[in-house]
Structure formats: C-alpha cells, structure tokens
Amino acid sequence: MASEPTEVRHGPLDSSGAGAAIQRWTLTAGPYEASVLNLGATLHTLSAPDRAGRTAQLLLSTDTLSQILGPARHYGTVVGRYANRIDRCEVTIDGQEHPLAPTGGGITIHGGPDGFAQRIWAAEPVDGGVRLRLHSPDGDQGFPGALDVSVSYTLDAGGELVIDYRAVTSKPTVVNLTNHAYFNLAGEGSGDVLGHLLTLDADEYTPADERQIPYGRTEPVAGTPFDFTVATPIGKSVHDDHPQLAGPGGYDHNWVLRARPADGSPARAALLEDPVSGRTLEVLTTEPGIQVYTANKFQGAVTGASGVPYGPFAGIALETQHFPDSPHQPAFPSTVLRPGEEFRSTTVLRLHTR
C-alpha cells in the first residue's frame, strides 16, 4: 500500500436543483482519483494515467440527472439486496415462501424495481475514503428481515481501490451484493472494448437459459468462447455461433472462480488490459463468481462527459458476486444470511500500467 495520504472531499452533484440531494465524494491519491455518489452507493468515476502519464476517466458515467435516474440507473451502483437474477420472483427460506417484487420476464433482478441502486445512502468519511450505510426494512421488495448494510470505498496512491461490503439481518434472508461499474481502460467514450485483453481465473461457467437464468450446473470453458484462462481479446469469440451467446448478443454470464483462500482474503478473479494505453486492471475478490457483461445491447441512450453516446461493447462490467439464482440452485454456494451472522465481502481493483 502506498503511504501518500488520500484527500477526501464532498459536495452536491448538482447544486442548482433536484440533484442537490445527491452528494459526490471525491477520493484523490497520487495520480488516481475516484468519485462516489450517495445515490446507489455508486462508483461514479475512476481516473488513472496511461503509460505516458496521460490521465483518463475509465468508467461509463454521466452527470446528467435524467440519465442517472433513467438508462444509467445501474452504472457503477451497488445492486442488492440480491444482485443478478432470481427466478420465479420468490425465495423459500426454511420452508417459508417469500414473494418478491417482479422486474419483468418472470424474474427479480438486482433486488427488485426499487433496489439498493435507487436509494440515497448515508455517507461518512473514513481513513482513505468513504463509508455508505443503508437500512433495508423487513419485507423490502419482498425480502425477509431488516438488513443493515455498509459499503466502503478506499483509494491509495498505488492505484488500489478497495470495496468492502458488510451486512447483518434480523431474520433469515438472502444477500448478494456487487458493484455494477462498466470499465473502458482506454477512457470512457473512446470506442469499444473488443480489443481489450481479458483473463479470468475460472475453468468453468454456469450456462443459462434465454432469460439468463442458470440451469444449475457448471460446464468447462475449455474449447468454448468462454475460455479466458489466458489473456484473450474480448472480441475474439464474442460473435461466435454459440447457443449461449445468441440470446444476450455477447457475454452476460457468470464464471466460477477458482477456489478462494481459506483465510477469507481476496484472490485474483480477473485481469483486464488495454494494449494501446498500457493500462491494466486487476480484480481480486472473496466472492466465488464473477458476472461478465460486455454491454452488448447498449444503444446510445447514455452520453458521458466525452460527448460520445455509449453503443454496444462501450465498456465491460466485472461483477464479483455469488451465482445468479442461487436460492433455487442447491448445487450453488448458499446466499442465506441469518441473524447473528455478518455478510462480509471484499473486492479490490488494482490499476497499473505496462
């Protein structure tokens, strides 16, 4: 960890009107800078130098309030109480069924239509960053138990951004939290990420149906377009004639990460590299899976600071999490949290150049 202190400051996203309630916290450490919004506990921007020392903002992002509340409502947010998909809009815990708020297509995605991404979180400074807190009442979006959640972001001058999640519950419930940032290491608005190199520390993935609900089994990536066990251009096989790619129009799948350390420390999940700028992003996590989404169906509805509308493959989401639809898949790692337990999850984003 670098010893140079991190500057933490905050102010309204837009002091002129409706955006005044949305606070932007800015963390600056050496040549790196991140900003976090209290709306959705959002990682809003992340800036880093390239190999020539030129700084760029690397996240798909907008300051336009109507877009933040509309088509960009999940950009960089913390999604929950259950990130990703739950089939049949219900969970059964200890024999009791709990209907969930539907989001369409017979599923509940990202915690429901009024999930954590749409909430204003309480924020406070911590050493090197900011901590955000949210109280989710019993029955929120149908989920049982009152859930108290905290998410902290800390940044250091070595280019390491740590996202630390904690949660406790009053009743047995299910919890799956992640961050939904979209990365483009060449800079937001610079074009697509199909030339980025991706490595995933995963030998298996969870194939899914046309709604991206997993079948409940894992399959090896070897010999398929899902093999990123060595650095591979994202665009190499994204358009292959493979049944798992046809529906989503690219990657929107969960990879099964290799075993995490027994001591609960984060281990590498992914390495993203931009050969042109020289920027690299190493992702470490305590989570068992990573959902990779390549923005396949973006249609220019959001425009960032660059003034360029975000089209297909404008960024890549690397969502460290438990598996989709785990509550209905007994072979998947459990996402049940009980009173007296603490949900703990850590993801580390390490920026470098080469």
Side-chain angles (χ1 to χ4, degrees):
M1 300 284 285
S3 59
E4 186 175 337
T6 301
E7 179 188 0
V8 180
R9 62 189 190 278
H10 72 280
L13 175 69
D14 177 8
S15 59
S16 64
I22 303 174
Q23 294 287 305
R24 187 200 323 252
W25 290 71
T26 303
L27 320 178
T28 305
Y32 301 97
E33 186 170 278
S35 70
V36 175
L37 304 182
N38 63 344
L39 174 66
T42 298
L43 179 59
H44 190 55
T45 61
L46 182 61
S47 299
D50 65 8
R51 64 165 66 94
R54 296 180 293 254
T55 296
Q57 203 286 100
L58 309 180
L59 302 185
L60 305 193
S61 177
T62 176
D63 280 354
T64 304
L65 187 59
S66 61
Q67 295 192 350
I68 290 174
L69 300 176
R73 63 188 175 277
H74 285 133
Y75 284 26
T77 59
V78 169
V79 288
R81 153 177 336 192
Y82 197 98
N84 220 308
R85 297 155 176 84
I86 295 179
D87 197 13
R88 305 195 298 274
C89 305
E90 61 84 22
V91 293
T92 300
I93 304 172
D94 298 336
Q96 183 176 354
E97 183 176 310
H98 302 273
L100 305 179
T103 51
I107 66 173
T108 296
I109 188 169
H110 294 336
D114 184 25
F116 292 179
Q118 281 72 53
R119 311 289 175 85
I120 296 289
W121 297 52
E124 61 185 358
V126 295
D127 186 22
V130 59
R131 178 185 295 121
L132 302 106
R133 300 182 186 275
L134 182 71
H135 176 75
S136 173
D138 185 13
D140 189 1
Q141 306 296 287
F143 290 96
L147 194 75
D148 288 295
V149 187
S150 73
V151 180
S152 66
Y153 295 89
T154 55
L155 177 69
D156 73 21
E160 183 168 287
L161 179 69
V162 178
I163 310 175
D164 202 47
Y165 307 84
R166 299 285 185 269
V168 294
T169 183
S170 65
K171 296 179 182 178
T173 192
V174 291
V175 179
N176 187 26
L177 303 177
T178 193
N179 182 275
H180 208 292
Y182 291 95
F183 300 92
N184 186 324
L185 298 186
E188 68 84 18
S190 63
D192 64 52
V193 296
L194 296 179
H196 282 35
L197 304 178
L198 178 64
T199 306
L200 297 175
D201 289 16
D203 302 305
E204 297 177 300
Y205 78 110
T206 53
D209 66 18
E210 68 279 359
R211 298 172 303 146
Q212 298 309 107
I213 298 293
Y215 294 117
R217 64 178 188 269
T218 63
E219 291 187 358
V221 299
T224 77
F226 297 88
D227 190 348
F228 288 92
T229 52
V230 297
T232 303
I234 293 169
K236 178 184 178 183
S237 302
V238 73
H239 297 301
D240 278 13
D241 183 17
H242 187 283
Q244 282 292 304
L245 296 175
Y251 298 110
D252 189 8
H253 295 79
N254 170 68
W255 272 257
V256 179
L257 296 174
R258 294 170 190 151
R260 307 288 88 186
D263 65 1
S265 59
R268 199 181 81 165
L271 177 66
L272 186 66
E273 306 171 80
D274 174 32
V276 177
S277 69
R279 294 187 186 93
T280 68
L281 172 67
E282 188 178 20
V283 181
L284 300 88
T285 188
T286 56
E287 291 294 296
I290 186 168
Q291 183 87 9
V292 177
Y293 177 47
T294 45
N296 318 317
K297 297 184 178 180
F298 280 21
Q299 298 296 330
V302 176
T303 300
S306 61
V308 177
Y310 298 144
F313 310 108
I316 180 172
L318 301 168
E319 303 165 59
T320 54
Q321 57 188 264
H322 271 58
F323 302 172
D325 200 38
S326 287
H328 294 133
Q329 309 293 350
F332 289 177
S334 175
T335 55
V336 173
L337 180 69
R338 298 184 179 279
E341 300 174 344
E342 183 182 42
F343 172 90
R344 301 171 66 94
S345 177
T346 301
T347 292
V348 180
L349 307 178
R350 287 179 178 165
L351 290 160
H352 293 292
T353 57
R354 59 176 55 167

